[in-house]
Amino acid sequence: METAVSASKLPSILWGTLIITGTIVGAGMFSLPVVMSGAWFSWSSAILLFTWLCMLLSGLMFLEASLHYPGGAGFDTLTRDLLGQRWNLLNGASILFVLGILTYAYISASGAILQHTFAALAMPVSARAAGLGFTLLVALFVWLGTAAVSRVTLIFLGAKVITFFLLFGGLLGHVKPALLFDTIATESHYLRYGWMVIPFCLASFGYHGNISGLIGYYQGNGKKVARCLLLGTLAALMIYLVWIIGTMGNIPRTDFIAIAQRGGNIDALVDALGNLLQNASLSVLLTVFSTFAVASSFLGVTLGLFDYLADLLKTDNHATGRLKTTLLTFIFPLSAALIWPNGFLVAIGYAGLAATVWAVITPALLVWRARQRFPQPQGWRLKGGNLPVFLVLLFAVLNIVVSLLSYADLLPVYAR
């Protein structure tokens, strides 16, 4: 709830903004240029902008509903109280599925990018072996606890920020407008490929699990948290747009077909950029950036899955209990990655569909019921009345319909 603490005594919004941006931007960004290759730059940018708006609104809705509850209340508390036990079970299942399939996606991605890195060092290692080794290392940090993960994540985040500015400064310098706007194309039907982009854009704006922590961090000051969500998601949007410009402005549209046929894994995109740029330093920066992007996303997602399982199963926080939870966290995603090592792109798509429940529909329903139960706002309320609620629910329906049509193979696919 809103407190009487002076806003000037609260932490700077810079830290909350960095938390949101760091949570959003990760390995998922590598799927965007591949799935957007059909719709290409203009339509994909428009879809990305619309997705950003809807995902920002859904986060602000969850913030508004949360302010009516004590600090620390999360999705489980709010959903059970406002929407009932049945919806809470559905919402919990969607959270578990999203975190689990993203863990699988990052195991798959880590194996591919590490194989690429070792190959550049003349050290041949299979993607399965690399993914297994890296997963065991991540599992060790997760078993050690949040403090260990936080320290390692801070190192990864710092490296990711430094390499990001160095890399994209170089990539943008090589952008060719003829490629970016596809002026030499023989095909003009771009929009028909845009529908399947929506679930991937949705999956690329996941940050809702951090809102409860930010409310506690800023002692219930809704205005500060709202500014963090706005600036953090806006920064992520800008990074995505720069990434799309840097890739689509350097890789011809037709080349993405071969990348998609390799499962859309990160190493395929890194190879394509490296071969076209013919710049050793940029190729190294791209490899380093992709490695740290995967690692930071991997740590964040697996820690979230570990915490959710620990709370769900009520396991103790001692070494034995943490070991059991760690095994449950990794055993199923790791087994799937060893059997199907090239499922990064497909996994991100499934995550987008499942995330529709807990990151889009649930926040809209929560704020709807909260306004009925608590007519008086707790210091901050999202403006616009019910219009943002309807817009977000419409976006959710659109995403579900598109995802189901895609799984039924009823949507045109360019990169096949």
Side-chain angles (χ1 to χ4, degrees):
M1 296 183 182
E2 198 78 47
T3 67
V5 178
S6 172
S8 62
K9 296 181 180 179
L10 295 175
S12 168
I13 62 170
L14 173 63
W15 302 113
T17 300
L18 289 175
I19 289 172
I20 295 299
T21 305
T23 300
I24 294 174
V25 179
M29 67 185 289
F30 289 88
S31 69
L32 293 180
V34 182
V35 298
M36 290 176 171
S37 57
W40 209 237
F41 176 68
S42 298
W43 282 112
S44 294
S45 297
I47 294 169
L48 189 66
L49 181 63
F50 177 65
T51 302
W52 163 77
L53 175 62
C54 293
M55 294 300 281
L56 169 62
L57 290 174
S58 70
L60 293 174
M61 290 173 190
F62 182 74
L63 167 63
E64 180 186 325
S66 297
L67 293 175
H68 295 285
Y69 291 82
F75 268 99
D76 185 72
T77 299
L78 270 69
T79 305
R80 185 187 298 109
D81 186 53
L82 291 172
L83 303 179
Q85 183 61 25
R86 290 185 179 179
W87 188 268
N88 185 50
L89 290 173
L90 174 63
N91 191 68
S94 70
I95 294 175
L96 188 61
F97 180 80
V98 169
L99 294 178
I101 202 163
L102 285 179
T103 298
Y104 158 74
Y106 294 147
I107 293 174
S108 172
S110 65
I113 194 62
L114 287 174
Q115 180 190 34
H116 178 272
T117 302
F118 287 130
L121 299 173
M123 298 171 59
V125 178
S126 70
R128 285 185 174 87
L132 174 61
F134 191 69
T135 301
L136 293 176
L137 181 62
V138 170
L140 174 62
F141 287 121
V142 171
W143 175 67
L144 290 174
T146 304
V149 173
S150 299
R151 293 186 180 94
V152 176
T153 301
L154 182 61
I155 296 172
F156 288 165
L157 181 60
K160 189 166 67 172
V161 169
I162 293 171
T163 54
F164 174 82
F165 286 107
L166 293 174
L167 171 63
F168 289 102
L171 280 179
L172 293 179
H174 290 78
V175 167
K176 301 175 182 65
L179 291 179
L180 185 63
F181 296 102
D182 204 27
T183 57
I184 59 175
T186 57
E187 179 184 11
S188 59
H189 303 289
Y190 295 96
L191 181 57
R192 66 176 182 174
Y193 298 116
W195 299 108
M196 66 169 296
V197 174
I198 298 174
F200 291 87
C201 289
L202 188 155
S204 299
F205 279 101
Y207 65 93
H208 298 66
N210 297 86
I211 298 175
S212 298
L214 286 182
I215 293 173
Y217 187 59
Y218 289 102
Q219 300 183 41
N221 190 305
K223 293 180 180 178
K224 282 226 168 191
V225 177
R227 290 183 66 188
C228 292
L229 301 189
L230 172 61
L231 296 177
T233 57
L234 190 59
L237 174 65
M238 294 299 104
I239 290 172
Y240 286 154
L241 288 174
V242 170
W243 170 240
I244 294 170
I245 293 171
T247 51
M248 292 184 175
N250 284 286
I251 302 177
R253 184 168 178 250
T254 53
D255 287 9
F256 280 98
I257 296 177
I259 296 173
Q261 289 174 346
R262 292 177 58 183
N265 267 347
I266 294 175
D267 62 321
L269 188 58
V270 171
D271 278 339
L273 272 175
N275 293 334
L276 287 169
L277 292 175
Q278 293 297 313
N279 187 309
S281 59
L282 283 181
S283 296
V284 171
L285 284 173
L286 183 61
T287 301
V288 172
F289 173 77
S290 57
T291 301
F292 283 116
V294 171
S296 58
S297 298
F298 197 177
L299 279 167
V301 167
T302 51
L303 182 62
L305 179 57
F306 177 95
D307 290 339
Y308 183 82
L309 288 173
D311 180 58
L312 180 68
L313 302 175
K314 308 302 180 187
T315 55
D316 64 71
N317 200 38
H318 297 98
T320 303
R322 293 187 65 85
L323 179 60
K324 293 177 182 177
T325 309
T326 301
L327 289 174
L328 287 174
T329 299
F330 289 95
I331 187 64
F332 297 109
L334 178 59
S335 299
L338 292 176
I339 298 172
W340 302 289
N342 294 319
F344 176 72
L345 202 61
V346 175
I348 296 294
Y350 280 115
L353 175 60
T356 305
V357 176
W358 73 276
V360 185
I361 298 177
T362 294
L365 296 180
L366 286 175
V367 79
W368 180 279
R369 294 296 297 270
R371 288 175 179 177
Q372 294 176 340
R373 184 181 297 185
F374 312 106
Q376 296 300 319
Q378 289 296 315
W380 182 87
R381 171 172 282 188
L382 178 63
K383 296 180 180 179
N386 291 325
L387 182 60
V389 178
F390 295 144
L391 178 63
V392 168
L393 289 176
L394 178 63
F395 174 66
V397 172
L398 177 63
N399 183 76
I400 292 173
V401 170
V402 167
S403 297
L404 294 178
L405 289 176
S406 177
Y407 299 147
D409 203 22
L410 296 176
L411 291 179
V413 179
Y414 173 74
R416 173 175 287 175

